[in-house]
Amino acid sequence: MKVRTRMIAGALCSFALLSACGRQSEPDKGDSFIYCLNEDRTGLVKVACDFAGENTMEEVQTVLTELKGPADSIEYVAPIPEHVEVADCALKGSILEVDFNGAYMEIDNLSEKLTRAAVVQSLVQVSGINAVSFTIEGEPLVDSEGYPVGLMNGDDFVENTGSSLEAYQTDTLTLFFADKTGTHLILQETEVRHSSNVPKEKLIVERLMKGPSGSDAYPVVSPDANLLSVTIKDGICYVNFDSTFLTGAYDVLPEVTVYSIVNSLVEGTEAREVQITINGETDAKYMGVVDLSQPLEENEGLVAAGQ
């Protein structure tokens, strides 16, 4: 289901008059909050905010209004600049699509990264929002290197932002795709240049979703799947998709798709096991075949001979 709301400057201003955010520079324990810029515009601070609204999109409007509204304290700055407007906002499943006017592109590079971090980390706290995507007048946002930013959630950012936001690095990823029969995995090493702010585990899954290079390997993950988050804790990598992941798009064994993800993450990170979840839940079977209720270990038996 897709819910859309048109939010022009006048609507946001009138909504701001009824704003329910009682702000303070430090929220109490248990308070809901948004992220704003610190007074030096070099990092983020938490600001208490009541997410007023009867449904998800009304709460989104509250948050966006507060992210743009004038600050009540000299200790923080609203992250969305005055000249930048939210032109449109749509909820597709648990993914929120936010479209800004062209003035967004006038934000300087470092400030843009801070704005993006503040907006995304604030919006994903709204119940029902697992990830956020940005567009500028309908076109996907790209970073300073020209790479599409794509879906974002809280795991993509660090709170105390600084020069590290500018850093890029090169990594060699070991990825497993399908062979031409769709019954086995074959290894492909890929060199990628990426923002150092993107966790390696997320980069691995995104590259698997993008598909292999060359003609010897074949894609395994449906291009319609939406990756919501990837995190590692206590040796387990948690990969959270929305329900579109469960529908296969290629003629490969279900096990090949699942273990392309598992094997790639175990080989490429400190994770020993991988737990695939659907909208945060584990009670699912991929293609009705592969049980996703428990963390999975690497399956070397599916790797083609000679790999």
Side-chain angles (χ1 to χ4, degrees):
M1 181 177 67
K2 191 169 186 177
V3 180
R4 184 176 293 278
T5 181
R6 179 71 60 180
M7 290 185 290
I8 59 176
L12 281 173
C13 288
S14 62
F15 192 84
L17 294 176
L18 302 175
S19 172
C21 269
R23 296 186 181 186
Q24 59 188 60
S25 59
E26 286 291 334
D28 293 331
K29 185 176 181 180
D31 284 349
S32 57
F33 59 87
I34 60 173
Y35 286 88
C36 291
L37 308 187
N38 62 21
E39 58 183 324
D40 297 326
R41 300 174 187 259
T42 59
L44 305 182
V45 292
K46 295 178 181 179
V47 179
C49 179
D50 178 19
F51 290 4
E54 296 182 358
N55 55 51
T56 298
M57 290 308 296
E58 288 186 5
E59 291 186 13
V60 166
Q61 288 188 15
T62 297
V63 171
L64 288 172
T65 298
E66 292 302 321
L67 291 172
K68 184 174 170 59
D72 294 340
S73 168
I74 62 173
E75 296 178 357
Y76 59 87
V77 179
I80 301 179
E82 184 176 353
H83 65 291
V84 175
E85 302 293 345
V86 177
D88 200 17
C89 200
L91 182 62
K92 185 178 180 181
S94 61
I95 298 171
L96 183 69
E97 301 170 349
V98 182
D99 185 52
F100 293 97
N101 67 348
Y104 185 95
M105 300 306 296
E106 299 172 9
I107 307 174
D108 69 84
N109 198 34
L110 178 57
S111 296
E112 188 278 326
K113 291 178 174 67
L114 290 169
T115 292
R116 192 184 341 147
V119 173
V120 171
Q121 291 191 108
S122 298
L123 288 171
V124 295
Q125 294 181 80
V126 175
S127 177
I129 306 296
N130 286 325
V132 179
S133 68
F134 283 9
T135 55
I136 311 302
E137 296 188 349
E139 295 297 321
L141 176 67
V142 296
D143 64 17
S144 59
E145 297 286 314
Y147 297 107
V149 172
L151 293 179
M152 300 168 283
N153 58 40
D155 297 329
D156 294 319
F157 305 100
V158 292
E159 286 187 25
N160 297 320
T161 50
S163 60
S164 63
L165 287 170
E166 298 282 329
Y168 279 78
Q169 63 188 58
T170 300
D171 272 320
T172 299
L173 305 181
T174 299
L175 306 176
F176 289 90
F177 295 100
D179 67 359
K180 63 181 179 180
T181 69
T183 60
H184 289 87
L185 295 169
I186 59 174
L187 182 153
Q188 185 176 90
E189 291 190 341
T190 303
E191 187 174 276
V192 295
R193 187 167 184 264
H194 63 95
S195 167
S196 58
N197 235 25
V198 178
K200 189 176 183 181
E201 55 270 21
K202 183 181 181 185
L203 184 65
I204 288 171
V205 180
E206 288 180 336
R207 288 289 165 163
L208 287 173
M209 296 172 69
K210 184 178 180 180
S213 58
S215 58
D216 295 331
Y218 296 83
V220 289
V221 180
S222 170
D224 295 326
N226 290 307
L227 179 65
L228 303 182
S229 63
V230 187
T231 57
I232 294 180
K233 183 178 181 180
D234 298 330
I236 300 176
C237 185
Y238 296 88
V239 184
N240 187 25
F241 291 100
D242 71 359
S243 59
T244 56
F245 170 76
L246 297 175
T247 303
Y250 303 107
D251 188 19
V252 300
L253 289 179
E255 292 86 353
V256 168
T257 294
V258 170
Y259 283 98
S260 71
I261 298 170
V262 174
N263 287 18
S264 297
L265 287 167
V266 172
E267 288 286 336
T269 72
E270 69 269 25
R272 300 183 300 275
E273 297 177 301
V274 176
Q275 173 72 71
I276 298 176
T277 59
I278 306 300
N279 292 319
E281 302 293 333
T282 59
D283 56 343
K285 287 188 177 182
Y286 179 71
M287 297 290 289
V289 175
V290 183
D291 185 8
L292 303 179
S293 64
Q294 298 294 326
L296 301 170
E297 296 181 347
E298 184 176 12
N299 186 335
E300 297 178 353
L302 280 174
V303 180
Q307 291 288 303

